[in-house]
Amino acid sequence: MMRQETMLIGGQWVSASDGGTLDSFDPFLQKVWATIPQATEDDVTSAIEASDAAFRGGWRQTPGRDRAVLLNRLADLMDQNADDLARIETTDNGKVIRETRAQVGFASRNYRYFAGLADKLQGETIPLDNGDLFDFTLVEPMGVAVLITAWNSPLTLLANKLAPALAAGNTVVIKPSEHASCSTLAFGRLVEQAGFPPGVVNIVTGDGRIGPALSTHPKIAKISFTGGIVTARKILTAAAERLVPVTTELGGKSPNIIFADADLKAAVIGAVAGIFGASGQTCIAGSRLLVERSVYDEVCAAVLEKVGTIRLGNPLDTATEMGPVANRAQFDRILGVIAAAKAEGAEVAIGGDAAMGEGLENGFFIQPTVIVNAGPDLSVLREEVFGPVLCILPFEDEAEAVRIANATDFGLAAGIWTNDIRRAHRMARAVESGVVWVNTYRASFVGAPFGGTKQSGVGRERAIQTLREYTKVKNVMIDLSEEERDPFAMKL
Ligand code: TXE
């Protein structure tokens, strides 16, 4: 049965006001499996107004304890419905079920983490030089936050934004990607069930046509965006008109760096999983593998052997290691990048084409692809592929490893594989990225700050400090003196 989705605006589940819809494809079967509303600008305005009304109508004054209760209830409901949510997400974006299932757990942990912070948004008292004055700060929510997410991990990306936004007392309008909105809409039912007041959480669906309405409305106080840099620039430009702060979580071209002294077996597994997990469609994909020259041949051989065993198949099957890529546009674009690399003389050691075979006939499958001896002139070494393509290149020493690692416009993540503790520290400081893993890759915890530098974005998600991005500090100064005042004298 085909799903016919509706959106959540002001506590009501509604279709687009002009009846417009978009098809959502199952990338494994290349079949429409759901329709979602294509919201109109008026629908977006209604959602922002409903969100603002809920904010002013009481949500901003709720005690943190009450917000914590709701967030914990939401996390419980996610855990109870985890299999369903994961199945919906996997059907919608093709990511393997073992990963979407784990990601639902990660998302619910995120709500619990921020539930624990909802009643701890405390200000400070500031000791002043002048004893007549008493000074303190209030930490206040910002208002309506617009949360825009991408298709590769809808529920996880959303939790990174929604958990701190709600914990801090904001109300929200969520806009999931048009390619994979269904899990977010199913999650919306749980938000309702948890007991959040109507209008606190609104969800509108549709493609970039509603982008302007989502970034220009005067009642928007904050925008948080995960997606591509081209869209990020449009949102930042629109937000600049009204000085609205924007958190951006964008792409990467992350280096995974293997030194000769590393545990090479673990490093090879980490390198392969770091790029081919989620078919390479993650912002943190370790798409450049830098290997110290003395072990280069050995590591390349081990990587190729491992890549040759990756199981492609139905993403709903728990044994599958790599599913299809998420949609037709992704499929065509990634194959285009591979073809361009070949034309530039890239040495493709394995893969390099669409994947065929039993059970893969209908899906957007691409072979896990490895380019060896990747020279600096290859454009695939600079561009984010956002697909299952790994470039391997050798380096001579630590200084060269740092130089190559940082020779990119991006700066999201980096992996370092070494058993030398001093080198691990030196490298962690030298690489230009927001996240560094040593002897592991793609490990996550909601309490650890996540985000990029350079063209990978601005701001951080997860972790206590994220609350700063969803709150504003108000300073209050009170004159306690009782003597008559000189109205023109400035108190210092
Ligand atoms: O992202 P878009 P896409 C990168 C990756 C990928 C590229 C494009 O390189 O190939 O981005 O992916 C909404 N105003 N990442 O096309 O278009 C859109 O509807 C406001 C990295 O999916 O940026 C969706 O909800 N919003 C990333 C969201 O923006 C607009 C994960 C992201 O879509 C809008 C995914 C507008 N004008 C892709 N236009 C990561 N960091 O992990 C579109 N949108």
Side-chain angles (χ1 to χ4, degrees), residues 293-317:
R293 175 80 71 186
S294 60
V295 292
Y296 181 76
D297 290 342
E298 182 186 345
V299 168
C300 281
V303 166
L304 293 174
E305 192 190 332
K306 188 89 198 129
V307 171
T309 68
I310 293 176
R311 273 194 301 270
L312 276 69
N314 185 344
L316 285 168
D317 181 342

Side-chain angles (χ1 to χ4, degrees), residues 149-151 175 177-178 208 211 225 228 231 249-250 283 333 384:
T149 56
W151 43 262
K175 215 296 281 172
S177 167
E178 61 276 24
F225 169 77
T231 312
E249 206 272 275
L250 311 174
C283 48
R333 200 184 49 75
E384 180 181 44

